[in-house]
C-alpha cells in the first residue's frame, strides 16, 4: 500500500468517523483504521462517495497508507486507551511524523506524551475539538497545541476543515506548545458549564417568578438571540423549551429528570484553577449545581426545609422582570468569560505557552458550543490590548456591566426573596463586587491565620512580613 493519504484517523466512533468524513469532503485523501475492522468497512460502504478513503485493517497497513510526514489522528477514549494506541503506532513511525490526539485529554497527560514522543523524534499534538458530532462533520472549533514545526505540517489541513467565522476566518490556530491546546479546550468547556448554568437560572426565574410557560420562555429566548445574547446556547435553549413531548403532550422540559450529568472537563477546570490560584467561581458553581442536582436522596430529605415559595408576578411586572433577567444574564456571562480568560492567561504564564487571547476568542466564534456574537468584541479587546488584565478592564465591557448592575442586583435580590436558587448569578455578582471593593475582609483572615498559626501578615504602612505575639502585651515582631 503506497503512502497516498494526507491524513489518517484511527478510532471510528461517531466523532472519529465524522472528522474523517470532514477531511475527505474537503479534498484530502484519508486513511482509516479501527480496532474493529467492520467499522472501517462500514464507513467506506456508507460514505465512500464523499471523498477518497483508504481503508486499512492493520496498524502496519494504516501507517503505510500515509504520505510523509505522516499525520495520524487518534480518536479514542482519553486516558489509558490513548496511551495504548500511541504505543501501538509510535514504533511504526519515523522522525518528523505527527501523532494527533483529538480526544478530551487532560492537558497534563498531553504534556507528558509530547515530551516522551519528542525524545523519540515524533511530534505529538494535543488538539481540542469543540462542536460535538455535527461540528466534527461540518466544521468544529479546533485548538491544537504542540510544536510550531508540527503546526506547519498539520495546520493547513485543520484550517481547511474548521468552522468559519462570519468574516471567513478559520476557527483553528496554533495555541502554543505541548498541552496548550487541550488546556484551552478544558477552559472552553468550563465556560460552557457556566454559560449553561446561567441560562438554566434565567429559565428558572422566568418560570417561577415571572410565571411564564416553557413556550413563552422559548419566545423570550428567541428574542434575546436577536440581540447581544446571540449565541448557539441561547438558540438551542429556545428549541428545547419549545419542544413538546409526544408521549405525554407536556412540555419536554417537564418530563426530563432534573439531574444534570457531566463528563469531567468542568471539574478539571475548577481543579486546575485552584492549583493556579485563579478564582473561577462561576464555573465552580456550575459544576457544583450539576453535582447537587444528582443527589436525589439528599434533595428529597431536604424538601420540607422552611423557606419561601415563589409567587408569580402580575403580567406587567413579569415583563419588566424578564428584562431585568436579560441584563443579569448578560452581565453574569461577561463575568464567566472574564474568569475563563483569566485562567487561560494564568496557565499560559505558568507553563510558558505565550497564548494569544485574542486568537482564542477568534477561533471560538464558530464551530464550538460557546460560539457567540460578542466573541468578536472579546477578540477586538485583546487585539487592542494584549496585556489587558481582565475583560472588565475593557472600557466597553465595563460600561455595559455597569449599566446592567442595578437590574442584576434586583434579580439576585428577588431570587433570594422568592427562594429561587441562583448560584451562578450570585457568584458572578459577588466576583464583580469583590473586584471593585476598596478593601476586602482578607485583612481579618490574615489576622486570624497569624493568631492560630503564626502565618504572618504584611502591613499597609511599611514593607516586610510581621507576626504579632498573641498574648501578654501582644507586641509585634518583624519576620525574618
Amino acid at each position: 500500500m503506497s503512502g497516498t493519504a494526507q491524513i489518517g484517523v484511527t478510532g471510528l466512533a461517531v466523532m472519529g468517523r465524522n472528522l474523517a468524513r470532514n477531511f475527505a469532503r474537503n479534498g484530502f485523501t484519508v486513511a482509516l483504521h479501527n480496532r474493529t475492522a467492520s467499522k472501517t468497512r462500514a464507513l467506506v460502504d456508507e460514505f465512500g462517495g464523499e471523498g477518497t478513503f483508504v481503508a486499512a485493517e492493520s496498524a502496519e497497513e494504516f501507517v503505510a497508507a500515509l504520505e510523509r510526514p505522516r499525520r495520524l489522528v487518534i480518536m479514542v477514549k482519553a486516558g489509558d486507551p490513548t496511551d495504548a494506541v500511541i504505543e501501538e503506532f509510535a514504533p511504526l513511525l519515523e522522525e518528523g511524523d505527527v501523532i494527533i490526539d483529538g480526544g478530551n485529554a487532560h492537558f497534563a497527560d498531553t504534556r507528558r506524551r509530547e515530551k516522551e514522543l519528542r525524545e523519540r523524534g515524533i511530534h505529538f499534538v494535543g488538539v481540542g475539538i469543540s462542536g460535538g458530532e455535527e461540528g466534527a462533520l461540518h466544521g468544529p472549533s479546533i485548538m491544537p497545541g504542540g510544536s510550531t514545526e508540527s503546526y506547519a505540517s498539520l495546520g493547513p489541513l485543520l484550517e481547511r476543515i474548521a468552522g468559519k467565522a462570519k468574516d471567513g476566518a478559520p476557527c483553528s490556530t496554533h495555541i502554543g506548545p505541548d498541552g496548550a491546546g487541550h488546556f484551552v479546550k478544558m477552559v472552553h468547556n468550563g465556560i460552557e458549564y457556566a454559560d449553561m448554568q446561567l441560562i438554566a437560572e434565567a429559565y428558572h426565574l422566568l418560570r417561577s417568578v415571572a410565571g411564564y410557560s416553557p413556550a413563552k420562555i422559548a419566545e423570550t429566548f428567541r428574542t434575546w438571540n436577536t440581540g447581544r445574547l446571540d449565541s448557539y446556547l441561547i438558540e438551542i435553549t429556545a428549541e428545547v423549551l419549545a419542544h413538546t413531548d409526544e408521549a405525554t403532550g407536556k412540555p419536554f422540559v417537564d418530563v426530563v429528570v432534573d439531574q444534570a450529568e457531566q463528563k469531567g472537563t468542568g471539574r478539571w477546570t475548577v481543579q486546575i484553577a485552584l492549583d493556579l490560584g485563579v478564582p473561577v467561581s462561576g464555573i465552580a458553581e456550575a459544576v457544583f449545581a450539576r453535582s447537587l442536582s444528582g443527589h436525589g436522596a439528599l434533595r428529597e430529605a431536604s424538601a420540607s426545609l422552611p423557606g419561601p415559595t415563589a409567587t408569580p408576578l402580575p403580567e406587567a411586572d413579569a415583563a419588566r422582570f424578564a428584562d431585568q433577567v436579560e441584563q443579569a444574564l448578560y452581565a453574569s456571562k461577561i463575568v464567566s468569560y472574564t474568569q475563563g480568560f483569566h485562567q487561560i492567561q494564568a496557565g499560559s504564564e505558568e507553563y510558558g505557552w505565550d497564548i494569544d487571547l485574542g486568537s482564542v476568542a477568534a477561533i471560538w466564534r464558530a464551530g464550538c458550543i460557546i460560539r457567540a456574537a460578542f466573541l468578536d468584541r472579546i477578540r477586538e479587546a485583546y487585539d487592542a490590548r494584549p496585556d489587558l488584565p481582565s475583560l472588565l478592564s475593557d472600557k466597553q465591557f465595563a460600561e455595559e456591566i455597569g449599566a446592567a448592575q442595578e437590574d442584576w442586583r434586583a434579580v439576585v435580590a428577588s431570587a433570594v426573596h422568592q427562594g429561587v436558587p441562583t448560584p451562578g448569578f450570585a457568584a458572578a455578582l459577588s466576583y464583580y463586587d469583590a473586584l471593585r471593593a476598596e478593601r476586602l475582609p482578607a485583612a481579618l483572615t490574615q489576622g486570624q491565620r497569624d493568631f492560630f498559626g503564626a502565618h504572618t501578615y504584611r502591613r499597609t504602612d511599611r514593607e516586610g512580613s510581621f507576626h504579632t505575639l498573641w498574648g501578654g502585651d501582644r507586641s509585634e515582631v518583624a519576620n525574618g
Side-chain angles (χ1 to χ4, degrees):
M1 186 181 295
S2 60
T4 58
Q6 288 92 43
I7 192 82
V9 179
T10 181
L12 300 177
V14 176
M15 283 292 289
R17 180 185 65 194
N18 283 2
L19 198 67
R21 291 172 60 195
N22 191 350
F23 279 117
R25 287 176 169 191
N26 279 280
F28 299 110
T29 299
V30 185
L32 302 173
H33 175 267
N34 194 75
R35 186 166 56 89
T36 305
S38 59
K39 279 195 174 183
T40 308
R41 293 192 293 270
L43 192 157
V44 175
D45 290 343
E46 188 172 359
F47 303 110
E50 295 183 343
T52 305
F53 296 105
V54 180
E57 294 199 0
S58 70
E60 290 78 8
E61 288 179 355
F62 180 59
V63 170
L66 297 169
E67 68 178 27
R68 300 231 33 225
R70 301 181 182 94
R71 293 169 287 241
L72 185 161
V73 181
I74 298 173
M75 296 296 295
V76 301
K77 189 175 180 180
D80 292 341
T82 299
D83 284 322
V85 173
I86 290 171
E87 283 310 306
E88 179 182 10
F89 284 98
L92 305 175
L93 301 178
E94 299 175 73
E95 186 172 346
D97 289 346
V98 185
I99 295 178
I100 304 107
D101 176 14
N104 258 340
H106 194 290
F107 81 96
D109 287 336
T110 302
R111 298 190 79 210
R112 168 180 57 81
R113 291 166 182 149
E114 193 276 337
K115 181 177 183 296
E116 292 171 352
L117 289 169
R118 186 184 347 123
E119 293 170 353
R120 298 163 70 169
I122 299 169
H123 295 289
F124 184 77
V125 178
V127 176
I129 300 174
S130 178
E133 300 170 14
E134 287 300 304
L137 181 61
H138 298 294
S141 174
I142 306 177
M143 295 153 260
S147 66
T148 54
E149 295 86 355
S150 64
Y151 195 77
S153 168
L154 181 64
L157 284 75
L158 298 181
E159 291 173 13
R160 181 90 66 87
I161 70 162
K164 304 299 185 292
K166 289 182 179 179
D167 60 6
C171 289
S172 176
T173 192
H174 183 222
I175 300 295
D178 55 69
H182 275 143
F183 184 94
V184 167
K185 173 58 163 58
M186 175 192 74
V187 177
H188 164 284
N189 284 22
I191 296 172
E192 177 186 312
Y193 273 55
D195 216 343
M196 293 173 70
Q197 175 64 25
L198 294 170
I199 291 170
E201 291 179 16
Y203 153 75
H204 198 180
L205 287 164
L206 292 176
R207 187 129 195 221
S208 300
V209 180
Y212 287 0
S213 67
K216 173 120 177 124
I217 301 172
E219 292 176 11
T220 301
F221 274 90
R222 287 197 181 103
T223 300
W224 289 354
N225 200 48
T226 63
R228 62 185 182 176
L229 284 172
D230 177 10
S231 67
Y232 173 72
L233 284 172
I234 294 289
E235 176 188 344
I236 68 170
T237 298
E239 293 300 312
V240 172
L241 289 172
H243 182 55
T244 300
D245 176 58
E246 288 187 7
T248 63
K250 296 179 179 179
F252 170 77
V253 73
D254 286 349
V255 301
V256 177
V257 175
D258 61 338
Q259 296 182 3
E261 299 178 0
Q262 52 187 307
K263 290 188 174 180
T265 46
R267 286 197 302 271
W268 289 353
T269 306
V270 177
Q271 289 164 351
I272 299 306
L274 290 171
D275 292 339
L276 292 170
V278 175
V280 293
S281 50
I283 297 170
E285 288 294 350
V287 172
F288 290 140
R290 292 196 191 189
S291 298
L292 178 60
S293 76
H295 285 274
L298 175 64
R299 292 171 60 195
E300 184 177 355
S302 307
S304 60
L305 289 172
T309 299
T311 303
L313 297 166
E315 185 175 347
D317 293 337
R320 167 61 182 148
F321 181 72
D323 290 340
Q324 291 179 317
V325 171
E326 190 271 347
Q327 292 271 30
L329 177 55
Y330 184 70
S332 299
K333 184 183 178 80
I334 292 173
V335 168
S336 294
Y337 280 76
T338 296
Q339 293 180 351
F341 276 92
H342 183 196
Q343 182 167 358
I344 293 172
Q345 188 177 45
S348 179
E349 292 172 359
E350 174 71 16
Y351 300 109
W353 287 331
D354 194 25
I355 296 175
D356 183 329
L357 298 180
S359 294
V360 171
I363 65 170
W364 286 352
R365 292 179 298 162
C368 69
I369 303 301
I370 64 170
R371 58 186 183 265
F374 86 149
L375 279 160
D376 263 318
R377 291 178 39 224
I378 294 177
R379 174 183 60 85
E380 291 166 1
Y382 281 112
D383 284 351
R385 286 187 59 193
D387 61 342
L388 193 70
S390 161
L391 274 180
L392 299 181
S393 302
D394 175 74
K395 185 175 183 293
Q396 187 174 2
F397 281 119
E399 288 176 350
E400 286 185 328
I401 206 167
Q405 67 166 309
E406 184 176 336
D407 287 333
W408 191 12
R409 296 180 192 284
V411 166
V412 173
S414 294
V416 172
H417 182 70
Q418 296 265 32
V420 178
T422 54
F425 282 176
L429 181 57
S430 182
Y431 176 87
Y432 173 78
D433 280 338
L435 287 182
R436 53 179 291 277
E438 182 178 351
R439 292 255 314 159
L440 292 171
L444 177 58
T445 303
Q446 279 302 96
Q448 293 168 331
R449 294 180 72 243
D450 189 62
F451 190 107
F452 66 67
H455 292 296
T456 76
Y457 53 87
R458 289 176 292 120
R459 297 181 58 93
T460 60
D461 56 355
R462 58 183 184 271
E463 294 295 320
S465 178
F466 299 88
H467 166 56
T468 292
L469 301 175
W470 298 98
D473 61 1
R474 292 187 180 153
S475 59
E476 180 180 79
V477 294
N479 187 56

